[in-house]
Amino acid sequence: MPRNISDGERIASIIGGTMLTLLGLSRKGDAGAVIALIGGGLAFRGISGFSPVYKALGMSTADSDSSDVAETQSRMVGVKRSVTINRSPQELYAFWRNFENLPGFMKHLHSVKVFDEKHSHWVASAPMNNTVEWNAEITDEQEDKHIAWRSTGDTSVPNTGSVQFTPAPEGRGTQVLVQIRYEPQAGLLGKAYLSLFGEEPSQQIAEDLRRFKALMETGEIATTTGQPKGRT
Amino acid sequence: MRAVCWNGSTDVRVESVPDPKILNPRDAIVKITSTAICGSDIHLYDGFIPTMEKGDILGHEFMGEVVEVGREVHNLKAGDRVVVPFTIACGSCFFCNRKSWSLCDNSNPNAPIPEALYGSTTGSGLFGYSHMFGGYAGGQAEYARVPFADVGPIKVPEGLEDEKVLFLSDILPTGYMAAENCNIQPGDTVAVWGCGPVGQFAIKSAFMLGAERVIAIDRFPYRLQMAKEYGKAEVLNYAEVEIGEALREMTGGMGPDACIDAVGMEAHGYGLDSVYDYAKQFVRLETDRPTALRQAIVACRKGGTVSIPGVYGGFIDKFPIGAAFSKGLTLKMGQTNVHTYLQPLLERIERGEIDPSGIITHRMSLNDAPRGYEVFKQKQEDCMKVVLKP
C-alpha cells in the first residue's frame, strides 16, 4: 500500500483514532458503535500511512515534511510582487519617486537620504542593532510609469530594484509591480541580505506593498501596537 | 480600566488593563455605556477560533460616548453618542467603494495569516475576534479604541435608549442581511434554522422584507416560543419532527423558497451525520459541524436561495453539492456589511417597525461577564441575550 499521508498527520490519526475508538467503546448504543468505527478507521489510516479518500481525490500530504533548502535560496535571486491600489498612477509615482518616503512603509528600511535627482543613500536595519548602508542611483525612469534603481560603489549588499505603475481596468486604480534582484550570498553577507528582505523575501515585499497600499488609500497603516491587553 | 479578557478555552476573566490611546489619526476613543455577548463570542469561548492569545480583550457589540478623536476624524466630537459596527472598514479601498465593507482591504493588519487557507487575504478587521481578524482589543470593557472612526460609528439620537440601538453593532444587521440575501418575493416562505438572536432578527427582517410565511427551527422550547411571540413565526422543533418532511408538508410539497442557516459551525443534530461530525471535529479532522447547512440545502425548493449568516471557519465534510447543483440553488454568505445597514435600520427602529430590545433576557454588570458567558453558552435561565453595563 503506497503512503500518501505525512508523518505529522499519521501520528495525529493514530492518537485521535485510538482515543475515538476508546470513547466509542465506552458508550452504549449506535452512536458509540459509529464513533468506535470512525476511530478504528482513523487509527488504520495513521498506521498504514494510506488514505483511500486521498487516493480517490488524487491527493497526498506525504511529501510535505521535508523543506527544500536549495529551492529557498534560488528564489532569493529575484523577487517580484504586485498589488492593486485604488489611486492614480500619478499619485503613486509621485510618492514613490521621493525615496525618502520609502521607510514609511518598508519595514526593514531605516532611512533614505536623497542627494540629487538621481542619487541617494539608503540605510537598512540589521540584526543586533546594526545597520547596512549603500548608495543608489536611478538608472531609468518614465514619469507616472516606472522607476528603476541600483546600488553603486562598494557595498556588502549589491542590489537592483524597479517599480512599475500600470493603470488597472476601469475604476480599479493602479497595478503596482515591484521587482528586486540581488546576488545570493553565503555567510555574513547572506545575513545582511536577510536583514534587508526578511526571512522570506517575497512575503516581506508583499507585506511592504500592503502597507504602501494602506498608506496611499487611507493615509495610515492599521495597527494594534500599543493597545491594552490583559495581564497574563 | 476593567475589561473582559480571554484566558483560554471557557476561561474569561475581568481584568484591570491600561486605558486605550489614540494610535492612528483616524482613531477615536469611546467610553462604553452598553456592550453585549454575541453567539459568535461563544465560538471563541469554546476555543474553536484559532489565533487567540491570552489576555485578548473580547467583545464586538458595543456603543458609548466619544471621549477623544484623532486629528483626521472630523465628523465626530467628544460627547457624541455612537453605536460602533463590529466590522472595521477604511471606506476607501476597492471593496469599501462597492459597499462590501466586511471585505475591507486595509483594516486588518494580519490579513495575510489565512492567505494560504483562503486563497486571498481575509476580510476586514473585527473587534475582539482573534488575531487572524486583526487582533483588535474588543468592547467588553470600559473604553475602546475605534479605528477608522470617521467611517464606522453611527450617531444615535438621545431619545432612543441604549437597548433599542445597541444591536445595530452586529446582530440586527446580520439578521437583516441574511433575509435580504434571500431575495424575498411576494408569497415567499422562508425557513430559519437557529432561533438565537441572529435567527430572531432574521425572522423579523424576512417579514419586514415581505415574506408571506416564516418557519423557525430550533430544539429549545423557550427559543421557539420567542420566535412565535416576538417574531410571529411558525415553529418546528427538530427534536420532535423530521425537518425535511415537515417543511415539505407545510409548503405543499415544494420546500421553502429560501432557507437561512443562522447556526453555523457548532451545529447540533440527531442524525448519524451529526455523530460523524462530532467525531471528526473532536480529532480536528473537520473544523466545522454543518448539520443545519446540510438540512437547509436539502430542504430548499428548486431555484431557491440558501443564505448563511452562521459563521464557518474551516472545512466541512459531506457537503450536498449534488442537491445544490441539481436544484439550481443560489448560496449567499459572508460577514455582515454592517455599515450599509446602520442608517436604514436606525430609521426602522425610530419608526417603531422593530424593537430589537425584545430579545434581551439578561442584564448584568461587566464584572459578571464570566457568569454571562456560562449562562449564555449553557442556555441556562432561558438565556437569549446578555447585555453588560461597564
Side-chain angles (χ1 to χ4, degrees), chain A residues 102-143:
Chain A
L102 301 186
F105 60 89
M106 289 188 170
K107 199 175 164 192
H108 292 269
L109 265 190
H110 184 263
S111 66
V112 176
K113 175 98 188 96
V114 171
F115 297 135
D116 58 35
E117 266 304 291
K118 292 226 175 297
H119 299 92
S120 52
H121 182 73
W122 301 44
V123 181
S125 43
M128 321 275 282
N129 284 332
N130 288 318
T131 54
V132 286
E133 310 190 12
W134 67 95
N135 288 319
E137 68 173 3
I138 289 178
T139 51
D140 186 27
E141 67 176 314
Q142 199 177 349
E143 196 173 346

Side-chain angles (χ1 to χ4, degrees), chain A residues 226-232, chain B residues 1 3 5-6 15-18 52-57 131 135 137:
Chain A
Q227 72 175 9
K229 195 176 165 80
R231 272 190 288 269
T232 52
Chain B
M1 66 168 183
C5 297
W6 187 89
E15 296 182 35
S16 191
V17 304
M52 285 297 289
E53 290 173 12
K54 281 191 174 190
D56 284 349
I57 299 172
H131 290 262

Side-chain angles (χ1 to χ4, degrees), chain B residues 324-380:
Chain B
F325 179 87
S326 303
K327 295 195 283 187
L329 298 184
T330 300
L331 269 62
K332 303 267 279 179
M333 65 194 88
Q335 203 65 267
T336 313
N337 295 312
V338 181
H339 298 55
T340 300
Y341 303 103
L342 289 171
Q343 188 59 40
L345 287 174
L346 177 63
E347 286 167 16
R348 283 186 190 266
I349 294 168
E350 284 181 304
R351 289 198 298 265
E353 290 171 35
I354 182 168
D355 177 4
S357 66
I359 66 162
I360 301 172
T361 52
H362 288 68
R363 295 164 176 87
M364 299 182 184
S365 142
L366 186 73
N367 294 333
D368 294 329
R371 192 173 78 82
Y373 271 86
E374 200 50 26
V375 167
F376 187 34
K377 178 199 153 77
Q378 303 295 350
K379 302 185 175 73
Q380 296 161 352

Side-chain angles (χ1 to χ4, degrees), chain B residues 241-292:
Chain B
V241 297
E242 205 284 306
I243 292 301
E245 220 170 88
L247 286 173
R248 262 194 309 280
E249 204 174 285
M250 291 168 81
T251 54
M254 270 184 96
D257 302 277
C259 294
I260 296 177
D261 168 8
V263 177
M265 63 164 119
E266 290 188 65
H268 170 274
Y270 288 118
L272 264 188
D273 63 328
S274 75
V275 177
Y276 169 89
D277 290 324
Y278 268 108
K280 290 203 82 172
Q281 195 174 46
F282 181 73
V283 292
R284 297 289 192 260
L285 279 179
E286 177 177 53
T287 54
D288 304 352
R289 295 196 306 263
T291 314

Side-chain angles (χ1 to χ4, degrees), chain B residues 67-329:
Chain B
V67 290
E68 195 185 348
V69 295
R71 65 171 191 275
E72 292 297 330
V73 178
H74 306 297
N75 60 324
L76 296 177
K77 59 180 189 312
D80 283 345
R81 188 163 165 252
V82 292
V83 178
V84 180
F86 80 104
T87 48
I88 303 169
C90 78
S92 43
C93 68
F94 174 87
F95 298 99
C96 287
N97 283 353
R98 277 158 185 73
K99 312 237 173 283
S100 297
W101 309 93
S102 69
L103 301 178
C104 173
D105 254 347
N106 294 317
S107 60
N108 180 354
N110 301 330
I113 289 181
E115 201 165 358
L117 187 61
Y118 294 161
S120 80
T121 55
T122 182
S124 71
L126 309 175
F127 288 100
Y129 215 77
S130 88
H131 290 262
M132 186 162 100
F133 292 107
Y136 288 102
Q140 287 163 10
E142 289 181 271
Y143 294 89
R145 165 191 163 240
V146 179
F148 299 116
D150 53 333
V151 174
I154 183 170
K155 282 190 247 187
V156 288
E158 284 305 324
L160 289 169
E161 66 253 45
D162 276 18
E163 291 187 354
K164 283 215 157 111
V165 290
L166 171 61
F167 302 140
L168 284 170
S169 56
D170 175 357
I171 50 174
L172 178 57
T174 297
Y176 188 86
M177 184 167 117
E180 195 184 69
N181 275 342
C182 292
N183 185 28
I184 294 168
Q185 303 297 313
D188 273 3
T189 298
V190 179
V192 179
W193 273 255
C195 297
V198 168
Q200 300 291 343
F201 289 145
I203 294 166
K204 281 268 188 204
S205 302
F207 279 126
M208 286 197 289
L209 291 166
E212 178 82 22
R213 296 169 73 190
V214 178
I215 302 168
I217 301 156
D218 206 299
R219 80 184 145 121
F220 292 95
Y222 77 93
R223 296 194 160 200
L224 290 169
Q225 187 72 15
M226 186 178 279
K228 208 189 233 170
E229 284 168 11
Y230 176 73
K232 312 282 182 239
E234 298 161 67
V235 297
L236 288 176
N237 186 330
Y238 70 83
E240 291 164 4
V241 297
E242 205 284 306
I243 292 301
E245 220 170 88
L247 286 173
R248 262 194 309 280
E249 204 174 285
M250 291 168 81
T251 54
M254 270 184 96
D257 302 277
C259 294
I260 296 177
D261 168 8
V263 177
M265 63 164 119
E266 290 188 65
H268 170 274
Y270 288 118
L272 264 188
D273 63 328
S274 75
V275 177
Y276 169 89
D277 290 324
Y278 268 108
K280 290 203 82 172
Q281 195 174 46
F282 181 73
V283 292
R284 297 289 192 260
L285 279 179
E286 177 177 53
T287 54
D288 304 352
R289 295 196 306 263
T291 314
L293 181 58
R294 286 194 199 110
Q295 275 184 5
I297 288 171
V298 173
C300 196
R301 77 148 162 83
K302 288 189 283 186
T305 301
V306 174
S307 162
I308 314 172
V311 173
Y312 291 89
F315 299 92
I316 59 174
D317 285 350
K318 308 282 182 289
F319 184 79
I321 186 71
F325 179 87
S326 303
K327 295 195 283 187
L329 298 184

